[in-house]
Amino acid sequence: MARQPRLHLVSSEQLAAAEAEIVDRSRRIEFYMTEYSVELLAAKMDRGEFVIPAYQREFTWEPKRKSRFIESLIMGLPVPFLFFWEMENGRLEIVDGSQRLRTLHEYIVGGLELGELDELPSLQGTRFADLSTSRQRKIKNRSIRGIVLNEHADDQARFDMFERINTGSKVANTAEVRRGALRGPFLDLVLELSRSALFAKLAPVSGKSERERIREELVTRFFAYSDGLEGYRERPAQFLFEYTGRMNERMQADPNLVAAYRLRFERMLDFVQRAFPLGFRKPTNPNSTPRVRYEAIAIGSHLAMRDNPAIFDQVPDTAGWLASEEFAETTTSDAANTRAKLQGRIEFVRAALLAAA
């Protein structure tokens, strides 16, 4: 006898709530499709009609990748969509596609010389101007599609779009898009503190991670999580984005907050330097900074000093519990972004420091 499928009942209240969420989110997403010829894209880049946000300017493709992209374009292979934000002045800020557009412009207008090619080796060492007039026209006539999120979309809608289209991509991470979308005094403070020499010593990162502004992410997490997890729904990117927007507004209204938050971070670093010989590093990998370990030590230390200010002037013995299996298990990366895990690792360090005081 065939088994009957198990009924999955959904309440009318749940369906109503889902419908309300869909309508609300959809209202924030306003976009239109467009299609540009390569010739027009290069011309618009040349005239400065496309704006490259600050968080993307330092990322430049290496010569081989540029050549491979142009080779793909000449061969007629599909080029991924371009994504833009429409600015109030009508210019388009590039959300995704900065490298493609810069490479196109460099090839069509700037005299880019192609390097080693896999499929079209005869074009190695050539420039666009070297091609026949007919081939130049054919390349210029190729088109690339784009999606433009218009000026009425709010900051959260823009962030959601960026986060989703870059899933699985490292074009830019959430620290970088916050930097571009939420300029203000809090972001300025985050950038300043992320460049601290002491922070770099205590929280070493790889060259790749440094280019991806991981220290900016760590600074933001320190402030956001130490101010409380109200509203945290296990989506760190959204939580940090909303927190950053609020803090920009608060610091604009009360500039004295900048100094207070700077002191909070600097006191934490000072304490960590004295109490944790390896800083935020693991003994088994002293050249990197695991995010979960950083969150536990940095925020746990701050909360312990908040609860007992005398701890700041002490050098508690941390060696025993730092090497314990319990701490290792608490700072595992498994399900690291769940609220329970996040609170658990922070509370572990806070309680251990208070117990040693």
Side-chain angles (χ1 to χ4, degrees), residues 104-131:
L104 274 179
H105 177 259
E106 189 178 353
Y107 182 63
I108 302 297
V109 177
L112 173 66
E113 181 178 309
L114 298 179
E116 182 179 351
L117 302 174
D118 296 327
E119 303 294 333
L120 304 173
S122 296
L123 286 181
Q124 290 175 196
T126 67
R127 296 179 171 85
F128 181 74
D130 298 325
L131 303 179

Side-chain angles (χ1 to χ4, degrees), residues 36-42 73 108 128 134-143:
Y36 296 114
S37 68
V38 166
E39 181 176 25
L40 182 57
L41 288 171
L73 180 74
I108 302 297
F128 181 74
S134 63
R135 179 52 58 188
Q136 289 183 18
R137 289 191 185 118
K138 290 174 182 177
I139 294 173
K140 286 182 176 180
N141 288 340
R142 297 199 185 282
S143 63

Side-chain angles (χ1 to χ4, degrees), residues 20-29 157 160 235 238:
E21 289 172 353
I22 292 168
V23 171
D24 176 65
R25 303 306 189 272
S26 299
R27 283 174 180 162
R28 295 190 291 109
I29 306 295
D160 286 345
R235 284 191 63 198
Q238 181 174 353

Side-chain angles (χ1 to χ4, degrees), residues 173-189:
N173 60 29
T174 53
E176 291 147 9
V177 76
R178 285 196 300 271
R179 190 181 188 190
L182 294 174
R183 301 178 182 92
F186 177 70
L187 249 297
D188 292 340
L189 178 63

Side-chain angles (χ1 to χ4, degrees), residues 23-24 66 75 90 96 130 264 328:
V23 171
D24 176 65
K66 292 180 182 180
M75 291 170 60
D96 188 56
D130 298 325
R264 180 198 298 187

Side-chain angles (χ1 to χ4, degrees), residues 28-320:
R28 295 190 291 109
I29 306 295
E30 297 184 41
F31 69 92
Y32 60 88
M33 306 286 294
T34 187
E35 192 160 352
Y36 296 114
S37 68
V38 166
E39 181 176 25
L40 182 57
L41 288 171
K44 280 181 168 288
M45 284 291 291
D46 202 49
R47 294 194 297 264
E49 294 184 20
F50 293 138
V51 177
I52 302 172
Y55 59 88
Q56 293 196 45
R57 286 177 193 148
E58 296 178 19
F59 290 82
T60 304
W61 277 353
E62 64 278 9
K64 183 173 182 179
R65 192 166 182 185
K66 292 180 182 180
S67 295
R68 285 177 60 84
F69 171 69
I70 296 300
E71 180 183 44
S72 297
L73 180 74
I74 294 173
M75 291 170 60
L77 294 175
V79 174
F81 275 63
L82 302 168
F83 288 82
F84 302 100
W85 292 345
E86 186 175 54
M87 304 170 70
E88 290 185 5
N89 61 12
R91 297 165 78 193
L92 298 179
E93 183 169 307
I94 305 167
V95 176
D96 188 56
S98 166
Q99 298 300 330
R100 280 166 273 156
L101 288 172
R102 281 190 272 185
T103 300
L104 274 179
H105 177 259
E106 189 178 353
Y107 182 63
I108 302 297
V109 177
L112 173 66
E113 181 178 309
L114 298 179
E116 182 179 351
L117 302 174
D118 296 327
E119 303 294 333
L120 304 173
S122 296
L123 286 181
Q124 290 175 196
T126 67
R127 296 179 171 85
F128 181 74
D130 298 325
L131 303 179
S132 66
T133 301
S134 63
R135 179 52 58 188
Q136 289 183 18
R137 289 191 185 118
K138 290 174 182 177
I139 294 173
K140 286 182 176 180
N141 288 340
R142 297 199 185 282
S143 63
I144 301 177
R145 292 184 176 182
I147 294 178
V148 181
L149 193 64
N150 74 21
E151 62 178 308
H152 301 298
D154 60 23
D155 286 339
Q156 185 61 50
R158 294 178 174 190
F159 179 75
D160 286 345
M161 176 176 125
F162 185 93
E163 183 185 29
R164 290 173 186 276
I165 66 175
N166 281 293
T167 299
S169 167
K170 297 307 291 181
V171 173
N173 60 29
T174 53
E176 291 147 9
V177 76
R178 285 196 300 271
R179 190 181 188 190
L182 294 174
R183 301 178 182 92
F186 177 70
L187 249 297
D188 292 340
L189 178 63
V190 168
L191 294 177
E192 172 196 328
L193 296 176
S194 71
R195 296 167 181 151
S196 157
L198 178 56
F199 189 34
K201 175 185 175 183
L202 296 174
V205 297
S206 68
K208 180 175 180 289
S209 294
E210 188 160 8
R211 289 191 297 273
E212 293 173 354
R213 309 186 192 285
I214 295 304
R215 287 201 188 93
E216 292 175 29
E217 178 78 3
L218 296 179
V219 174
T220 306
R221 286 176 182 246
F222 169 76
F223 288 127
Y225 295 164
S226 62
D227 273 347
L229 295 174
E230 182 180 355
Y232 184 80
R233 296 292 181 268
E234 300 178 3
R235 284 191 63 198
Q238 181 174 353
F239 181 77
L240 297 176
F241 185 89
E242 293 172 353
Y243 174 83
T244 298
R246 291 195 304 272
M247 288 306 300
N248 274 334
E249 292 176 0
R250 287 187 61 198
M251 288 184 174
Q252 284 171 344
D254 182 5
N256 292 327
L257 283 175
V258 175
Y261 274 69
R262 180 187 294 110
L263 180 61
R264 180 198 298 187
F265 190 76
E266 290 176 344
R267 280 174 60 84
M268 179 274 293
L269 291 183
D270 186 349
F271 176 77
V272 168
Q273 178 180 217
R274 290 179 285 114
F276 297 86
L278 291 178
F280 306 109
R281 297 165 289 183
K282 289 178 68 174
T284 55
N285 190 1
N287 296 318
S288 68
T289 301
R291 178 177 52 77
V292 291
R293 189 180 180 93
Y294 163 82
E295 290 168 352
I297 293 174
I299 302 162
S301 294
H302 164 71
L303 295 180
M305 289 188 288
R306 183 199 63 185
D307 294 345
N308 182 1
I311 289 177
F312 178 75
D313 295 317
Q314 302 172 1
V315 182
D317 181 11
T318 61

